[in-house]
Amino acid sequence: IGGIAHLRQGHLPDGVDLLLDAKETYEPTESTGVFSYATHAAVVAVDPDSGAIELIDYAVVEDCGTMVNPMTLQGHVRGGVVNGIGSALMEHYHYDETGQLQNVLFTDYLLPSIMESPDDIKIGHVVTPSPFTEYGIKGGGEGGRMGTPPALAAAVEDALRPLGITIDELPISPNRLRRLIREAQAGGS
């Protein structure tokens, strides 16, 4: 009803009042807000010739407070990890010199698929109920999404430690990684 009243008023019967009114609101009792927490660990293999990154193992432990539906939470965390894989390894906007976006189609803007998803994402939970929300609930989907890019960057750096490569820009595309590897090998000769 709210979506129709806000976005599609033409679908409402004549004489219907479009005013939406909130009767109650929620404000946390503390100004600190409510935050979920997570930690990520990744094991990768890097092919120095192609710049390909193979995700060998991945684990997440997150704290979303009281778990309301553990099965859907697993899906949120898994989906967040896959979304983070896209951010870390493939998703990038390309602009020309005038600022015009060049990769406007999904054939040009790469997104992760089942092929880039780890076979088994290990997910653990720490349950620390929030004292500031009803039922102790915190956010749940963020637990998978936010830590994936830095975890993958750290894992790639670790795999390439002998070359002294630092990953300081995302995505870690094969072209960018091959260039970093070639530069490091040339500097080390």
Side-chain angles (χ1 to χ4, degrees), residues 31-63:
S31 62
T32 59
V34 178
F35 302 98
S36 59
Y37 302 91
T39 188
H40 295 243
V43 177
V44 301
V46 178
D47 181 340
D49 295 325
S50 68
I53 299 168
E54 178 187 0
L55 193 51
I56 295 173
D57 200 7
Y58 202 92
V60 181
V61 176
E62 59 89 39
D63 177 5

PDB file of all heavy atoms in Angstrom, residues 31-63:
ATOM      1  N   SER A  31      23.307   6.600  21.970  1.00  0.00           N
ATOM      2  CA  SER A  31      23.689   7.270  20.727  1.00  0.00           C
ATOM      3  C   SER A  31      24.740   6.487  19.947  1.00  0.00           C
ATOM      4  O   SER A  31      25.135   6.901  18.871  1.00  0.00           O
ATOM      5  CB  SER A  31      24.207   8.678  21.033  1.00  0.00           C
ATOM      6  OG  SER A  31      25.362   8.598  21.855  1.00  0.00           O
ATOM      7  N   THR A  32      25.204   5.356  20.484  1.00  0.00           N
ATOM      8  CA  THR A  32      26.251   4.593  19.809  1.00  0.00           C
ATOM      9  C   THR A  32      25.724   3.806  18.619  1.00  0.00           C
ATOM     10  O   THR A  32      26.498   3.344  17.794  1.00  0.00           O
ATOM     11  CB  THR A  32      26.915   3.613  20.786  1.00  0.00           C
ATOM     12  OG1 THR A  32      25.917   2.739  21.304  1.00  0.00           O
ATOM     13  CG2 THR A  32      27.600   4.348  21.918  1.00  0.00           C
ATOM     14  N   GLY A  33      24.430   3.601  18.517  1.00  0.00           N
ATOM     15  CA  GLY A  33      23.884   2.816  17.416  1.00  0.00           C
ATOM     16  C   GLY A  33      23.991   1.325  17.694  1.00  0.00           C
ATOM     17  O   GLY A  33      24.406   0.903  18.771  1.00  0.00           O
ATOM     18  N   VAL A  34      23.606   0.550  16.715  1.00  0.00           N
ATOM     19  CA  VAL A  34      23.615  -0.908  16.831  1.00  0.00           C
ATOM     20  C   VAL A  34      24.442  -1.443  15.667  1.00  0.00           C
ATOM     21  O   VAL A  34      24.143  -1.173  14.510  1.00  0.00           O
ATOM     22  CB  VAL A  34      22.182  -1.466  16.776  1.00  0.00           C
ATOM     23  CG1 VAL A  34      22.189  -2.972  16.851  1.00  0.00           C
ATOM     24  CG2 VAL A  34      21.354  -0.876  17.905  1.00  0.00           C
ATOM     25  N   PHE A  35      25.480  -2.201  15.974  1.00  0.00           N
ATOM     26  CA  PHE A  35      26.377  -2.680  14.936  1.00  0.00           C
ATOM     27  C   PHE A  35      26.545  -4.190  15.027  1.00  0.00           C
ATOM     28  O   PHE A  35      26.637  -4.741  16.110  1.00  0.00           O
ATOM     29  CB  PHE A  35      27.760  -2.024  15.076  1.00  0.00           C
ATOM     30  CG  PHE A  35      27.708  -0.527  15.018  1.00  0.00           C
ATOM     31  CD1 PHE A  35      27.713   0.215  16.177  1.00  0.00           C
ATOM     32  CD2 PHE A  35      27.638   0.124  13.800  1.00  0.00           C
ATOM     33  CE1 PHE A  35      27.661   1.596  16.144  1.00  0.00           C
ATOM     34  CE2 PHE A  35      27.576   1.504  13.752  1.00  0.00           C
ATOM     35  CZ  PHE A  35      27.594   2.247  14.915  1.00  0.00           C
ATOM     36  N   SER A  36      26.602  -4.813  13.861  1.00  0.00           N
ATOM     37  CA  SER A  36      26.979  -6.222  13.827  1.00  0.00           C
ATOM     38  C   SER A  36      28.483  -6.283  13.568  1.00  0.00           C
ATOM     39  O   SER A  36      29.084  -5.305  13.133  1.00  0.00           O
ATOM     40  CB  SER A  36      26.215  -6.964  12.731  1.00  0.00           C
ATOM     41  OG  SER A  36      26.466  -6.387  11.470  1.00  0.00           O
ATOM     42  N   TYR A  37      29.064  -7.427  13.845  1.00  0.00           N
ATOM     43  CA  TYR A  37      30.507  -7.580  13.687  1.00  0.00           C
ATOM     44  C   TYR A  37      30.790  -8.876  12.949  1.00  0.00           C
ATOM     45  O   TYR A  37      30.022  -9.830  13.049  1.00  0.00           O
ATOM     46  CB  TYR A  37      31.203  -7.635  15.056  1.00  0.00           C
ATOM     47  CG  TYR A  37      30.943  -6.423  15.895  1.00  0.00           C
ATOM     48  CD1 TYR A  37      29.868  -6.382  16.781  1.00  0.00           C
ATOM     49  CD2 TYR A  37      31.761  -5.307  15.788  1.00  0.00           C
ATOM     50  CE1 TYR A  37      29.620  -5.254  17.548  1.00  0.00           C
ATOM     51  CE2 TYR A  37      31.524  -4.184  16.553  1.00  0.00           C
ATOM     52  CZ  TYR A  37      30.447  -4.159  17.433  1.00  0.00           C
ATOM     53  OH  TYR A  37      30.206  -3.042  18.180  1.00  0.00           O
ATOM     54  N   ALA A  38      31.904  -8.902  12.231  1.00  0.00           N
ATOM     55  CA  ALA A  38      32.291 -10.140  11.549  1.00  0.00           C
ATOM     56  C   ALA A  38      33.795 -10.138  11.343  1.00  0.00           C
ATOM     57  O   ALA A  38      34.439  -9.087  11.301  1.00  0.00           O
ATOM     58  CB  ALA A  38      31.589 -10.269  10.200  1.00  0.00           C
ATOM     59  N   THR A  39      34.343 -11.328  11.200  1.00  0.00           N
ATOM     60  CA  THR A  39      35.739 -11.478  10.815  1.00  0.00           C
ATOM     61  C   THR A  39      35.797 -12.495   9.688  1.00  0.00           C
ATOM     62  O   THR A  39      34.992 -13.417   9.639  1.00  0.00           O
ATOM     63  CB  THR A  39      36.621 -11.890  12.010  1.00  0.00           C
ATOM     64  OG1 THR A  39      37.986 -11.834  11.622  1.00  0.00           O
ATOM     65  CG2 THR A  39      36.275 -13.264  12.514  1.00  0.00           C
ATOM     66  N   HIS A  40      36.700 -12.279   8.747  1.00  0.00           N
ATOM     67  CA  HIS A  40      36.800 -13.102   7.547  1.00  0.00           C
ATOM     68  C   HIS A  40      38.209 -13.640   7.399  1.00  0.00           C
ATOM     69  O   HIS A  40      39.177 -12.959   7.772  1.00  0.00           O
ATOM     70  CB  HIS A  40      36.500 -12.259   6.296  1.00  0.00           C
ATOM     71  CG  HIS A  40      35.104 -11.751   6.236  1.00  0.00           C
ATOM     72  ND1 HIS A  40      34.243 -12.115   5.237  1.00  0.00           N
ATOM     73  CD2 HIS A  40      34.402 -10.912   7.032  1.00  0.00           C
ATOM     74  CE1 HIS A  40      33.081 -11.523   5.422  1.00  0.00           C
ATOM     75  NE2 HIS A  40      33.156 -10.783   6.504  1.00  0.00           N
ATOM     76  N   ALA A  41      38.320 -14.819   6.809  1.00  0.00           N
ATOM     77  CA  ALA A  41      39.625 -15.399   6.491  1.00  0.00           C
ATOM     78  C   ALA A  41      39.512 -16.074   5.132  1.00  0.00           C
ATOM     79  O   ALA A  41      38.536 -16.778   4.856  1.00  0.00           O
ATOM     80  CB  ALA A  41      40.051 -16.405   7.542  1.00  0.00           C
ATOM     81  N   ALA A  42      40.497 -15.840   4.291  1.00  0.00           N
ATOM     82  CA  ALA A  42      40.495 -16.416   2.942  1.00  0.00           C
ATOM     83  C   ALA A  42      41.847 -17.061   2.659  1.00  0.00           C
ATOM     84  O   ALA A  42      42.883 -16.555   3.085  1.00  0.00           O
ATOM     85  CB  ALA A  42      40.217 -15.332   1.903  1.00  0.00           C
ATOM     86  N   VAL A  43      41.805 -18.152   1.920  1.00  0.00           N
ATOM     87  CA  VAL A  43      43.012 -18.803   1.406  1.00  0.00           C
ATOM     88  C   VAL A  43      42.861 -18.803  -0.110  1.00  0.00           C
ATOM     89  O   VAL A  43      41.855 -19.274  -0.639  1.00  0.00           O
ATOM     90  CB  VAL A  43      43.153 -20.249   1.933  1.00  0.00           C
ATOM     91  CG1 VAL A  43      44.380 -20.909   1.325  1.00  0.00           C
ATOM     92  CG2 VAL A  43      43.223 -20.255   3.450  1.00  0.00           C
ATOM     93  N   VAL A  44      43.874 -18.252  -0.796  1.00  0.00           N
ATOM     94  CA  VAL A  44      43.821 -18.160  -2.258  1.00  0.00           C
ATOM     95  C   VAL A  44      45.089 -18.740  -2.868  1.00  0.00           C
ATOM     96  O   VAL A  44      46.120 -18.858  -2.201  1.00  0.00           O
ATOM     97  CB  VAL A  44      43.647 -16.699  -2.738  1.00  0.00           C
ATOM     98  CG1 VAL A  44      42.369 -16.083  -2.191  1.00  0.00           C
ATOM     99  CG2 VAL A  44      44.859 -15.853  -2.377  1.00  0.00           C
ATOM    100  N   ALA A  45      44.978 -19.072  -4.136  1.00  0.00           N
ATOM    101  CA  ALA A  45      46.141 -19.425  -4.948  1.00  0.00           C
ATOM    102  C   ALA A  45      46.166 -18.432  -6.103  1.00  0.00           C
ATOM    103  O   ALA A  45      45.124 -18.129  -6.691  1.00  0.00           O
ATOM    104  CB  ALA A  45      46.033 -20.852  -5.470  1.00  0.00           C
ATOM    105  N   VAL A  46      47.338 -17.918  -6.414  1.00  0.00           N
ATOM    106  CA  VAL A  46      47.487 -16.938  -7.486  1.00  0.00           C
ATOM    107  C   VAL A  46      48.356 -17.531  -8.580  1.00  0.00           C
ATOM    108  O   VAL A  46      49.461 -18.014  -8.306  1.00  0.00           O
ATOM    109  CB  VAL A  46      48.113 -15.623  -6.963  1.00  0.00           C
ATOM    110  CG1 VAL A  46      48.312 -14.635  -8.099  1.00  0.00           C
ATOM    111  CG2 VAL A  46      47.251 -15.022  -5.862  1.00  0.00           C
ATOM    112  N   ASP A  47      47.867 -17.495  -9.805  1.00  0.00           N
ATOM    113  CA  ASP A  47      48.660 -17.920 -10.963  1.00  0.00           C
ATOM    114  C   ASP A  47      49.414 -16.691 -11.463  1.00  0.00           C
ATOM    115  O   ASP A  47      48.801 -15.774 -12.006  1.00  0.00           O
ATOM    116  CB  ASP A  47      47.738 -18.473 -12.049  1.00  0.00           C
ATOM    117  CG  ASP A  47      48.505 -18.959 -13.269  1.00  0.00           C
ATOM    118  OD1 ASP A  47      49.674 -18.549 -13.462  1.00  0.00           O
ATOM    119  OD2 ASP A  47      47.924 -19.732 -14.052  1.00  0.00           O
ATOM    120  N   PRO A  48      50.730 -16.636 -11.290  1.00  0.00           N
ATOM    121  CA  PRO A  48      51.481 -15.439 -11.665  1.00  0.00           C
ATOM    122  C   PRO A  48      51.496 -15.185 -13.175  1.00  0.00           C
ATOM    123  O   PRO A  48      51.708 -14.054 -13.604  1.00  0.00           O
ATOM    124  CB  PRO A  48      52.890 -15.689 -11.131  1.00  0.00           C
ATOM    125  CG  PRO A  48      52.966 -17.150 -10.896  1.00  0.00           C
ATOM    126  CD  PRO A  48      51.584 -17.652 -10.683  1.00  0.00           C
ATOM    127  N   ASP A  49      51.261 -16.219 -13.986  1.00  0.00           N
ATOM    128  CA  ASP A  49      51.268 -16.030 -15.437  1.00  0.00           C
ATOM    129  C   ASP A  49      49.960 -15.412 -15.940  1.00  0.00           C
ATOM    130  O   ASP A  49      49.976 -14.536 -16.803  1.00  0.00           O
ATOM    131  CB  ASP A  49      51.515 -17.360 -16.154  1.00  0.00           C
ATOM    132  CG  ASP A  49      52.897 -17.914 -15.850  1.00  0.00           C
ATOM    133  OD1 ASP A  49      53.847 -17.102 -15.708  1.00  0.00           O
ATOM    134  OD2 ASP A  49      53.025 -19.147 -15.735  1.00  0.00           O
ATOM    135  N   SER A  50      48.837 -15.864 -15.403  1.00  0.00           N
ATOM    136  CA  SER A  50      47.539 -15.358 -15.893  1.00  0.00           C
ATOM    137  C   SER A  50      46.956 -14.276 -14.996  1.00  0.00           C
ATOM    138  O   SER A  50      46.072 -13.543 -15.417  1.00  0.00           O
ATOM    139  CB  SER A  50      46.533 -16.509 -15.997  1.00  0.00           C
ATOM    140  OG  SER A  50      46.194 -16.989 -14.703  1.00  0.00           O
ATOM    141  N   GLY A  51      47.413 -14.185 -13.753  1.00  0.00           N
ATOM    142  CA  GLY A  51      46.823 -13.249 -12.800  1.00  0.00           C
ATOM    143  C   GLY A  51      45.528 -13.770 -12.207  1.00  0.00           C
ATOM    144  O   GLY A  51      44.835 -13.048 -11.498  1.00  0.00           O
ATOM    145  N   ALA A  52      45.199 -15.021 -12.480  1.00  0.00           N
ATOM    146  CA  ALA A  52      43.967 -15.608 -11.960  1.00  0.00           C
ATOM    147  C   ALA A  52      44.112 -15.894 -10.472  1.00  0.00           C
ATOM    148  O   ALA A  52      45.174 -16.296 -10.003  1.00  0.00           O
ATOM    149  CB  ALA A  52      43.630 -16.899 -12.705  1.00  0.00           C
ATOM    150  N   ILE A  53      43.032 -15.662  -9.749  1.00  0.00           N
ATOM    151  CA  ILE A  53      42.978 -15.915  -8.315  1.00  0.00           C
ATOM    152  C   ILE A  53      41.975 -17.032  -8.087  1.00  0.00           C
ATOM    153  O   ILE A  53      40.819 -16.929  -8.494  1.00  0.00           O
ATOM    154  CB  ILE A  53      42.564 -14.653  -7.543  1.00  0.00           C
ATOM    155  CG1 ILE A  53      43.585 -13.539  -7.772  1.00  0.00           C
ATOM    156  CG2 ILE A  53      42.386 -14.956  -6.067  1.00  0.00           C
ATOM    157  CD1 ILE A  53      43.127 -12.188  -7.285  1.00  0.00           C
ATOM    158  N   GLU A  54      42.422 -18.096  -7.438  1.00  0.00           N
ATOM    159  CA  GLU A  54      41.528 -19.199  -7.094  1.00  0.00           C
ATOM    160  C   GLU A  54      41.252 -19.140  -5.597  1.00  0.00           C
ATOM    161  O   GLU A  54      42.175 -19.117  -4.783  1.00  0.00           O
ATOM    162  CB  GLU A  54      42.166 -20.545  -7.449  1.00  0.00           C
ATOM    163  CG  GLU A  54      41.296 -21.725  -7.066  1.00  0.00           C
ATOM    164  CD  GLU A  54      41.996 -23.060  -7.260  1.00  0.00           C
ATOM    165  OE1 GLU A  54      43.174 -23.087  -7.691  1.00  0.00           O
ATOM    166  OE2 GLU A  54      41.366 -24.077  -6.942  1.00  0.00           O
ATOM    167  N   LEU A  55      39.989 -19.094  -5.256  1.00  0.00           N
ATOM    168  CA  LEU A  55      39.589 -19.073  -3.860  1.00  0.00           C
ATOM    169  C   LEU A  55      39.520 -20.510  -3.362  1.00  0.00           C
ATOM    170  O   LEU A  55      38.681 -21.289  -3.783  1.00  0.00           O
ATOM    171  CB  LEU A  55      38.232 -18.388  -3.722  1.00  0.00           C
ATOM    172  CG  LEU A  55      37.780 -17.991  -2.349  1.00  0.00           C
ATOM    173  CD1 LEU A  55      38.830 -17.186  -1.601  1.00  0.00           C
ATOM    174  CD2 LEU A  55      36.511 -17.172  -2.452  1.00  0.00           C
ATOM    175  N   ILE A  56      40.453 -20.868  -2.498  1.00  0.00           N
ATOM    176  CA  ILE A  56      40.575 -22.248  -2.020  1.00  0.00           C
ATOM    177  C   ILE A  56      39.722 -22.494  -0.782  1.00  0.00           C
ATOM    178  O   ILE A  56      39.071 -23.521  -0.658  1.00  0.00           O
ATOM    179  CB  ILE A  56      42.051 -22.576  -1.734  1.00  0.00           C
ATOM    180  CG1 ILE A  56      42.824 -22.529  -3.056  1.00  0.00           C
ATOM    181  CG2 ILE A  56      42.196 -23.922  -1.048  1.00  0.00           C
ATOM    182  CD1 ILE A  56      44.307 -22.660  -2.893  1.00  0.00           C
ATOM    183  N   ASP A  57      39.710 -21.547   0.134  1.00  0.00           N
ATOM    184  CA  ASP A  57      38.954 -21.729   1.368  1.00  0.00           C
ATOM    185  C   ASP A  57      38.500 -20.364   1.860  1.00  0.00           C
ATOM    186  O   ASP A  57      39.202 -19.360   1.680  1.00  0.00           O
ATOM    187  CB  ASP A  57      39.833 -22.413   2.425  1.00  0.00           C
ATOM    188  CG  ASP A  57      39.029 -23.058   3.542  1.00  0.00           C
ATOM    189  OD1 ASP A  57      37.785 -23.099   3.454  1.00  0.00           O
ATOM    190  OD2 ASP A  57      39.653 -23.524   4.506  1.00  0.00           O
ATOM    191  N   TYR A  58      37.321 -20.326   2.486  1.00  0.00           N
ATOM    192  CA  TYR A  58      36.788 -19.056   2.982  1.00  0.00           C
ATOM    193  C   TYR A  58      35.978 -19.320   4.246  1.00  0.00           C
ATOM    194  O   TYR A  58      35.204 -20.279   4.308  1.00  0.00           O
ATOM    195  CB  TYR A  58      35.900 -18.372   1.944  1.00  0.00           C
ATOM    196  CG  TYR A  58      35.792 -16.899   2.199  1.00  0.00           C
ATOM    197  CD1 TYR A  58      36.670 -16.016   1.601  1.00  0.00           C
ATOM    198  CD2 TYR A  58      34.858 -16.398   3.084  1.00  0.00           C
ATOM    199  CE1 TYR A  58      36.612 -14.661   1.879  1.00  0.00           C
ATOM    200  CE2 TYR A  58      34.790 -15.054   3.366  1.00  0.00           C
ATOM    201  CZ  TYR A  58      35.670 -14.192   2.761  1.00  0.00           C
ATOM    202  OH  TYR A  58      35.623 -12.852   3.039  1.00  0.00           O
ATOM    203  N   ALA A  59      36.170 -18.462   5.246  1.00  0.00           N
ATOM    204  CA  ALA A  59      35.431 -18.592   6.500  1.00  0.00           C
ATOM    205  C   ALA A  59      34.993 -17.222   6.997  1.00  0.00           C
ATOM    206  O   ALA A  59      35.710 -16.227   6.820  1.00  0.00           O
ATOM    207  CB  ALA A  59      36.290 -19.276   7.559  1.00  0.00           C
ATOM    208  N   VAL A  60      33.820 -17.176   7.594  1.00  0.00           N
ATOM    209  CA  VAL A  60      33.270 -15.963   8.198  1.00  0.00           C
ATOM    210  C   VAL A  60      32.723 -16.335   9.571  1.00  0.00           C
ATOM    211  O   VAL A  60      32.032 -17.342   9.711  1.00  0.00           O
ATOM    212  CB  VAL A  60      32.086 -15.397   7.374  1.00  0.00           C
ATOM    213  CG1 VAL A  60      31.552 -14.122   8.007  1.00  0.00           C
ATOM    214  CG2 VAL A  60      32.443 -15.165   5.940  1.00  0.00           C
ATOM    215  N   VAL A  61      33.027 -15.517  10.556  1.00  0.00           N
ATOM    216  CA  VAL A  61      32.369 -15.622  11.846  1.00  0.00           C
ATOM    217  C   VAL A  61      31.762 -14.258  12.108  1.00  0.00           C
ATOM    218  O   VAL A  61      32.452 -13.243  12.038  1.00  0.00           O
ATOM    219  CB  VAL A  61      33.347 -16.013  12.977  1.00  0.00           C
ATOM    220  CG1 VAL A  61      32.623 -16.013  14.325  1.00  0.00           C
ATOM    221  CG2 VAL A  61      33.981 -17.360  12.699  1.00  0.00           C
ATOM    222  N   GLU A  62      30.443 -14.248  12.351  1.00  0.00           N
ATOM    223  CA  GLU A  62      29.781 -12.969  12.521  1.00  0.00           C
ATOM    224  C   GLU A  62      28.898 -12.962  13.754  1.00  0.00           C
ATOM    225  O   GLU A  62      28.512 -14.014  14.254  1.00  0.00           O
ATOM    226  CB  GLU A  62      28.995 -12.605  11.259  1.00  0.00           C
ATOM    227  CG  GLU A  62      27.934 -13.595  10.860  1.00  0.00           C
ATOM    228  CD  GLU A  62      26.591 -13.316  11.493  1.00  0.00           C
ATOM    229  OE1 GLU A  62      26.204 -12.160  11.610  1.00  0.00           O
ATOM    230  OE2 GLU A  62      25.934 -14.285  11.902  1.00  0.00           O
ATOM    231  N   ASP A  63      28.605 -11.746  14.211  1.00  0.00           N
ATOM    232  CA  ASP A  63      27.738 -11.555  15.368  1.00  0.00           C
ATOM    233  C   ASP A  63      26.623 -10.612  14.956  1.00  0.00           C
ATOM    234  O   ASP A  63      26.841  -9.420  14.784  1.00  0.00           O
ATOM    235  CB  ASP A  63      28.534 -10.966  16.540  1.00  0.00           C
ATOM    236  CG  ASP A  63      27.662 -10.682  17.751  1.00  0.00           C
ATOM    237  OD1 ASP A  63      26.461 -11.029  17.740  1.00  0.00           O
ATOM    238  OD2 ASP A  63      28.190 -10.110  18.720  1.00  0.00           O
TER     239      ASP A  63
END
